[in-house]
Amino acid sequence: MRLIALGGRHIDEANPCVDVRLHDGVRLHAVLPPAAPHGTLLSIRIPPVSRLRLVDLEARGFFGGAVSLELVRAEVRARSNILITGAGGSGKTTLLSALLSAAPADERIVAIEDVAELRVEHPHFVSLEARQANIEGAGEISLQRLVREALRMRPDRLVLGECRGPEIRELLSALNTGHDGGAGTLHANSLADVAARLEALGALAGLTPEAMARQAVSAIQTVFHIVRSGARRQLEQVGHFALDDRGRLEVREGVGPHRRPDSASMHAASYPGGSALGTNAYDIGEGRMSGGRHV
């Protein structure tokens, strides 16, 4: 009870399950009876002591698959809107934190999270955290509201820590109105399952599959998929969204044609299915949206 209260949340018979962030990024999940029939259950996730950067992930073999570190860096420099997918505990948040740490130091990054987990080494990183309703049922701050509030903070990069509900509508709407360089994560077992997962979330927000497909294709340029096998975590696939013959969402492997050719961007890399990625896929110019700077 005390630990949960320290995180600004509460747990009782009416609300027997809670997820809370403690100091230094420690995350606590608790379940009380009767939801836990054999007694109270506690799950504690302790983050690494050091904050991992892209080079640290490379040293651990994270980019040993088909997706190279150079490709990931090029996507960050190109200000692509990126969706990171994978199963639970695969390292989505770790990769997202490392990606954001690689953003230029003069860019303002605003992240929205249900429970703050991102550990970003960046001088202009700020985060907003959702809040559950109190015992009287008042005071809730939803992810949907926080996305709207974040847009008023003039972010250079808008980040949703995890897409898990109707807030996906607000995120896609924001990314479709000139906010590039954004990112988020999504639970999915494979790259092929990402489209179905987004359709399910879109349904929660009242979007038809066709409307969700058009929003996603326009808003998100790159999908990175992480695979976990035992203790091994690796970034194995890259894909992009497209419309199928029915106007529904599908994921095609490889980087889509969303950037102008730039022969200096990176070396070409081959991907399954015959896609050639690299020299014709990126424009990594340093230009970005102009505007006032927050202090």
Side-chain angles (χ1 to χ4, degrees), residues 44-116:
I44 300 176
R45 296 176 62 179
I46 301 176
V49 176
S50 59
R51 300 185 180 186
L52 300 179
R53 293 179 174 270
L54 291 176
V55 291
D56 301 319
L57 295 178
E58 182 185 37
R60 300 183 181 201
F62 190 79
F63 301 105
V67 187
S68 67
L69 173 60
E70 288 75 19
L71 188 152
V72 174
R73 282 176 167 166
E75 288 292 322
V76 174
R77 290 194 298 266
R79 295 184 56 80
S80 299
N81 290 327
I82 298 171
L83 182 65
I84 300 172
T85 65
S90 60
K92 299 183 297 297
T93 301
T94 299
L95 176 58
L96 179 56
S97 297
L99 284 176
L100 297 176
S101 297
D106 62 340
E107 292 185 349
R108 179 176 175 84
I109 303 171
V110 181
I112 303 102
E113 299 180 83
D114 181 41
V115 177

Side-chain angles (χ1 to χ4, degrees), residues 28-286:
L28 171 66
H29 184 265
V31 184
L32 297 179
H38 300 295
T40 300
L41 300 177
L42 295 178
S43 301
I44 300 176
R45 296 176 62 179
I46 301 176
V49 176
S50 59
R51 300 185 180 186
L52 300 179
R53 293 179 174 270
L54 291 176
V55 291
D56 301 319
L57 295 178
E58 182 185 37
R60 300 183 181 201
F62 190 79
F63 301 105
V67 187
S68 67
L69 173 60
E70 288 75 19
L71 188 152
V72 174
R73 282 176 167 166
E75 288 292 322
V76 174
R77 290 194 298 266
R79 295 184 56 80
S80 299
N81 290 327
I82 298 171
L83 182 65
I84 300 172
T85 65
S90 60
K92 299 183 297 297
T93 301
T94 299
L95 176 58
L96 179 56
S97 297
L99 284 176
L100 297 176
S101 297
D106 62 340
E107 292 185 349
R108 179 176 175 84
I109 303 171
V110 181
I112 303 102
E113 299 180 83
D114 181 41
V115 177
E117 287 187 287
L118 291 171
R119 295 163 57 83
V120 180
E121 287 283 355
H122 193 280
H124 295 294
F125 172 81
V126 296
S127 64
L128 304 174
E129 186 177 36
R131 186 177 70 187
Q132 69 177 145
N134 59 24
I135 298 177
E136 290 78 25
E140 180 184 12
I141 303 177
S142 67
L143 291 173
Q144 296 98 301
R145 176 182 173 183
L146 290 181
V147 172
R148 294 192 294 269
E149 297 299 330
L151 293 175
R152 299 185 177 99
M153 300 168 67
R154 207 209 64 95
D156 292 305
R157 294 178 185 262
L158 182 67
V159 178
L160 181 59
E162 182 179 343
C163 304
R164 60 170 62 183
E167 66 276 356
I168 188 68
R169 177 181 56 197
E170 278 73 18
L171 176 65
L172 293 179
S173 296
L175 298 183
N176 272 318
T177 55
H179 292 275
D180 55 355
T185 71
L186 176 75
H187 279 87
N189 291 327
S190 67
L191 194 63
D193 291 337
V194 173
R197 288 282 294 122
L198 281 179
E199 284 188 357
L201 296 184
L204 295 176
L207 296 175
T208 66
E210 293 78 13
M212 183 69 201
R214 291 192 295 270
Q215 288 281 319
V217 169
S218 177
I220 299 173
Q221 287 81 49
T222 304
V223 181
F224 287 133
H225 186 72
I226 305 172
V227 174
R228 177 182 179 182
S229 178
R232 173 181 168 271
R233 296 171 176 84
Q234 196 166 69
L235 180 57
E236 289 200 349
Q237 291 177 291
V238 59
H240 64 279
F241 290 128
L243 298 178
D244 64 14
D245 295 338
R246 302 172 298 161
R248 301 280 290 270
L249 186 65
E250 68 176 3
V251 184
R252 297 176 183 172
E253 195 162 358
V255 176
H258 58 277
R259 298 292 168 189
R260 297 188 301 274
D262 186 346
S263 59
S265 55
M266 60 178 293
H267 299 293
S270 297
Y271 285 80
S275 300
L277 307 179
T279 55
N280 294 322
Y282 302 99
D283 170 21
I284 56 173
E286 298 300 325

Side-chain angles (χ1 to χ4, degrees), residues 2-49:
R2 292 182 179 178
L3 289 176
I4 293 168
L6 288 174
R9 302 199 175 189
H10 66 273
I11 187 170
D12 50 35
E13 291 183 358
N15 184 51
C17 306
V18 70
D19 196 25
V20 64
R21 174 186 56 84
L22 304 178
H23 61 87
D24 297 330
V26 175
R27 187 167 173 175
L28 171 66
H29 184 265
V31 184
L32 297 179
H38 300 295
T40 300
L41 300 177
L42 295 178
S43 301
I44 300 176
R45 296 176 62 179
I46 301 176
V49 176

